[in-house]
Amino acid sequence: MAPGSRAPESGTYDAFMSYSHQNQPVARWLHQALEFFGRTGRGRASRIFRDETNLGAGGALGDEIVVGMARSRRLILLASPESAASPWVRQELDWWWERHGSYRDVVVVLVGGEIRWDPDELAALGDEAAITATDLARFGAERLYVDLRERAEGSHATPVPRWWRSSGVGSDPTTVDAMASIAATLREVPKEVLVGNEVAWQRRTRRRTQTVVSVLSAAVVLAVAGLVAAVWQANEAGQERRVATARLLSSSAMLSARENGVLARLLAVEGLRMHRDDLTLTALYDVADENPFLGARTTVDGEVTVLEGSGSGAYVLAATQGTTYLWDTVHGTTEPVDLGGERTVAADLDQDGDRIAIATDDTLRLWARSADGATAPTSIALEDVIDVGLSDDDDVVAVLRAGSGTAERPDTFELVLVDTADSRILRTTAVDGYWRWVGVDGDEVVLVGHDGTWQRRPVADPGAVVAEGGPVAPFNGWIGKASPDAGHFGFVKHSVDVNRNSQGSFDETYRQGPIPGSGTFMPRLFELSPDGSTALVGGGNEVWVTTTDTEGVPVERQLSGAGLPGLAAFLDETRIVSAHGPTLVLWDLARPAGPWSTLPYPVADGPTVGFSAHVALSDDHRSIAVVGGYDLVSHGTVDEAAGQLTGPTGGLPVWRPDGSLLLATGNEGYVVAEDGTSTRRLWTTGSEEVDPWFRALTARIVGRDLYLVDDDGVIQVRDVRDGTLRRTIDPGFDRGEDWNRPSSATNQAALSDDGSHAAVVLGDASGVALVRTSDATARMLTDTVGSVLIDGERVIVATGRDVRTFTLDGEQTSSFSMTGDYADALAVVPDTDVLARVRTDGRLVLANLTTGRQLADYAMPVPTSTTAQAPWYSSTLTVVGAALYSATVGTDVARWDLSIPEMAEAACRAAGRDLSPQEWRAVTAGDPPADLRCDRPGLDAR
């Protein structure tokens, strides 16, 4: 990359500009000047966030400014008496201080008033002070600043027309020096380099202007310039509005992702439809991973006050003050339950939702459901019901109700057992104590109190107590809850503690774990899974689920995208339903809706460090082969593994056109027999004049030719049908004593689609070479080693954090750096200019190959069965069709649907609805398109 044109390492903007709108003329001029000052080629040299340019009129200014600051590396303060008095500037500076804890990255530009670094002298300035006492204290010491007051006061602070793409700085030495000081800080480039670039650019501009003037008369120049300016202004204005709206939609999507995942997905898709750039792409990638467990949603007519679900998760019962609803989560229907206008106070459903018990203020109603629909409910008069619980066999419903206490027994409750077949009361028993929940566990009724006190009573004789325990919760500040079947009780205070309601007391905790998440919120919500293994904890605006087993490290998962619910309930160990006002949300911890899904192909561990997995898919994308553990081959369809065999050591899998699986290893080739459990040899070295140590690192079938590339840069071309060697291509690299064969085969060689070129990482660490197979000529691309990939007409070389791209003629076209440390795996996301790399901390990182900006990073499947200390170095990335596949030792193969149409379709599917015109206007303050269907045509792959 040319000097002075370094791309920002992180974030969307180099700087956020904080200013008073009374200083708007100089802010406009400075914005343009910084974006184009010191550039070396086409495009902007810096990216600055300024609200007038980046926000639509009337938008939610506060929210979008927060997004802009969050995505900026530095803050430029246009200091003046007006900015010191501005409440907007005050909020922006306070946010920056709270976010970063310092003003280290605040650049001060004085555009009015005075600055003094002594508190008394600053106070003496009065209304002329350009900064406040608060900011003086935060700076901590005298800070160098750039003085642009003269520029701000002059009438020439208006920017030049943007279509000239000029900085507008001019040749005034003072102004050039001031701009170089600011730009050097933002871009971390020496001032003298930027000044040189600016002078050179101005000279080129003058030469172009002189050439035009020498050819055209002054009148023609004016006429053409006026016409071009008019056309440009109309097109530019429309395009800028479209870009600004797209970025506003996308910024709002990222801002709302944690609170409202459905709205975030809809906004992200609309933003990408209007304009595609790094910001709108990042928004789509962000919302896909922000709330991966968010499932189905539905809305009822008011705030939910009672929430229950069937163990299968197929049905959820939700009651408001006016109506009770049954939500069929499988078919997506929500129907009201006819209760004659009465209010639901307690309810329960059985495992399949076939039996429902609902208690209103004075009646218990029972329904039996079948494939033909629900039967008419039977009912029995029961008042003051606190809780109800169905037995596992649906024969009995236990009802806990407030009893008629006396002076001698004031804390009396009643336990009523009802036959579900005919709504007949079987037994009624007075029970002492304070009870809140009731359940039926086998042939016993379980009662649980607020403090975890519990009793077990036989269904046949509820007057007898067969076991009891507790209390288990400490005093003050705790929140407790029984599991759905009342078999466990848990509470949260300083930690998450769970007791089994069949043994023990407070000193005999069954399970325990830390409070999940940030640990800084005060818990307000607590729920427990049926088996007591998982707890939901909510507080502040965070909702987490955590395992409570003391064995090993608890697994924490955040339920983001809907905010803090008022109610929640576990349906089973992995499914949860929550109520957010009138909205019901179903969560599934076992099936994350993120951008990847696993296939039934575990990658076996290799015997040594440096082992690489190999994945190959057939042309029809149906058959897959996975080589793990050097010689363990799994194969079958994408949906189901057909078999596993021990193949030749180090086999490289290739699917032949006839649908058979070929394993290339060394100078031998094997075909997996039809029985799927054995192989037959297709070729061997025999008398062929080839390197006996030939080891194929990559393979490609072109027509009837099978191309194999060795780590020596030697290429074999064989007949794919019988393995006959057609030719050997040896570029003649100097393979001396320093030549080593890599322990990993991941992206150490690559072939073009037509086999015309091969890229090889040289074994003597001298660099990466590009070989033309027609005449075996080689050209060095780099003098450093790393990993290589050929994608269409471009070659990609990654060396550590640095990425460079080349044409097939060997000409470099771009270069950029990424943050973090990376393994060798490389791939280009199908139908995009997005590069995928595996970071050594187990994240899949996506970056724009054109701009170099990092767009997203996702957690990869976690290895569970490997002894490797650094398993990510074994990872491989394979592209087939529109999908990306990853394989790492100790994990299952994962499929990533990261193409733009796939991501947008997944976002629309997860949202489950379309964006409303009101939601569009609330974000953009403008009129929406006539068609707001999320899945409407028009979102192209590129």
Side-chain angles (χ1 to χ4, degrees), residues 536-614:
L536 179 147
V537 182
N541 206 31
E542 300 179 40
V543 185
W544 292 80
V545 290
T546 176
T547 57
T548 54
D549 195 342
T550 55
E551 299 295 330
V553 179
V555 176
E556 299 178 358
R557 287 161 289 193
Q558 187 172 17
L559 304 186
S560 57
L564 182 68
L567 295 172
F570 276 88
L571 306 179
D572 57 22
E573 282 65 44
T574 60
R575 280 175 292 190
I576 301 168
V577 62
S578 59
H580 308 255
T583 301
L584 302 176
V585 180
L586 188 66
W587 308 85
D588 193 339
L589 305 180
R591 299 184 65 184
W596 58 265
S597 58
T598 57
L599 305 180
Y601 288 90
V603 183
D605 204 353
T608 61
V609 176
F611 159 74
S612 296
H614 292 292

Side-chain angles (χ1 to χ4, degrees), residues 63-64 67 248-268 287 290-291 294 297 541 560-563 915 923:
D63 291 344
E64 309 321 321
V67 173
L248 184 56
L249 290 164
S250 297
S251 298
S252 300
M254 289 184 286
L255 192 66
S256 60
R258 300 179 74 84
E259 303 300 323
N260 190 336
V262 169
L263 179 62
R265 285 175 164 88
L266 296 172
L267 293 175
V287 299
E290 188 62 52
N291 32 62
L294 183 63
R297 287 175 179 247
N541 206 31
S560 57
L915 192 69
V923 173

Side-chain angles (χ1 to χ4, degrees), residues 845-908:
V845 181
L846 306 180
N848 189 322
L849 269 170
T850 303
T851 66
R853 293 186 184 273
Q854 292 181 208
L855 304 173
D857 64 274
Y858 298 121
M860 298 179 67
V862 178
T864 57
S865 59
T866 178
T867 58
Q869 294 182 345
W872 308 111
Y873 285 100
S874 74
S875 298
T876 56
L877 299 175
T878 304
V879 172
V880 180
L884 174 73
Y885 295 83
S886 68
T888 304
V889 295
T891 71
D892 289 343
V893 173
R895 174 190 168 111
W896 301 75
D897 294 311
L898 296 174
S899 69
I900 302 305
E902 290 278 355
M903 295 286 286
E905 181 182 345
C908 293

Side-chain angles (χ1 to χ4, degrees), residues 381-399:
L382 282 175
E383 296 180 344
D384 302 322
V385 173
I386 299 171
D387 193 27
V388 298
L390 281 161
S391 63
D392 295 336
D393 58 11
D394 298 343
D395 289 343
V396 175
V397 58
V399 181

